[in-house]
Amino acid sequence: MSAVDGREPSLWELQVAENPGHSEWYVQRFRKLAEDGVDIVGEARLIDAMLARGSRVLDAGCGPGRVGAYLHGAGHRVVGVDVDPVLIAAAEQDYPGPRWLVADLSRLDLTGERFDVVVCAGNVMTFVAPSTRVQVLSRLAAHLAGGSPDEGGGRLVVGFGSGRGYAYDEFERDAAAAGLAIQHRFATWDLRPFTLESGFLVAVLSRGETPPA
């Protein structure tokens, strides 16, 4: 797959180009999990616990909408963004209420909109084009509400697993380059302690010092 609109395609887009039915399979997978009563909103419960009712949430890499839908139902104002129009169409069909948008995270520009939490769950950071990781983190940071967390400033919550081609220390360097500081690290969305041997990382970040030009 060649460049899309002058940008490098994400790993997700490359996967879909190789297997055009992948997006629909993904949608049906989560529909079936929900029908079977499987818990598919653990990430959203953590985000809800971090927020005052009626907060502004950006679901970055929202997929078919499971996280944003739960947060909308909990009373928050939610915008969901994903690069895959099939996933956004499924979110619109299954979970009306939030605002669902097709957009690439490396170019995200919701002019004038700032969020109390930006959540990037579902291994999203391992699916963006590796060359755009710092840019994606920078764009997410730019959409955080101003101020420190103690002052009500926005927080970015990122979760992804090991063994997906994105080492934890590399992520931390990229976050620092994007002007983000890690406040907390957990091994799961239910807040188990993180170690370097953990198979998953949930990182809570806020704006740090502005990186050098």
Side-chain angles (χ1 to χ4, degrees):
M1 184 178 183
S2 59
V4 180
D5 298 329
R7 62 174 174 81
E8 182 181 358
S10 68
L11 300 185
W12 179 271
E13 289 171 300
L14 292 174
Q15 191 169 3
V16 170
E18 184 176 340
N19 177 12
H22 182 70
S23 297
E24 185 57 36
W25 169 84
Y26 189 79
V27 169
Q28 295 304 326
R29 175 190 173 207
F30 277 97
R31 284 174 175 166
K32 183 64 164 57
L33 290 172
E35 289 172 4
D36 291 345
V38 176
D39 181 9
I40 60 171
V41 292
E43 303 102 320
R45 285 196 300 274
L46 171 60
I47 301 304
D48 183 44
M50 297 171 62
L51 294 168
R53 201 58 54 214
S55 293
R56 298 157 297 170
V57 179
L58 174 62
D59 186 358
C62 63
R66 60 190 176 84
V67 172
Y70 179 95
L71 294 168
H72 172 78
H76 303 296
R77 293 170 285 166
V78 177
V79 177
V81 175
D82 201 282
V83 74
D84 191 328
V86 173
L87 303 187
I88 290 296
E92 291 173 334
Q93 178 180 343
D94 293 350
Y95 304 116
R99 180 155 57 103
W100 306 111
L101 303 172
V102 177
D104 182 83
L105 295 180
S106 69
R107 293 184 170 185
L108 187 64
D109 184 11
L110 304 178
T111 304
E113 295 195 58
R114 297 294 180 267
F115 298 88
D116 302 298
V117 163
V118 175
V119 56
C120 191
N123 292 301
V124 166
M125 283 302 304
T126 68
F127 281 109
V128 305
S131 66
T132 68
R133 288 168 177 164
V134 173
Q135 187 176 356
V136 167
L137 290 167
S138 296
R139 295 314 307 150
L140 299 184
H143 288 82
L144 294 175
S148 70
D150 290 341
E151 298 167 336
R155 289 169 287 181
L156 168 63
V157 186
V158 176
F160 65 93
S162 63
R164 290 177 170 267
Y166 197 12
Y168 297 148
D169 58 352
E170 186 179 0
F171 166 73
E172 295 198 10
R173 289 194 297 271
D174 289 346
L180 290 161
I182 295 182
Q183 304 296 321
H184 305 284
R185 299 172 184 84
F186 303 103
T188 63
W189 290 94
D190 58 1
L191 306 185
R192 298 181 191 184
F194 176 79
T195 71
L196 293 179
E197 289 72 43
S198 295
F200 202 86
L201 169 67
V202 177
V204 181
L205 308 98
S206 63
R207 283 181 177 172
E209 296 183 0
T210 303

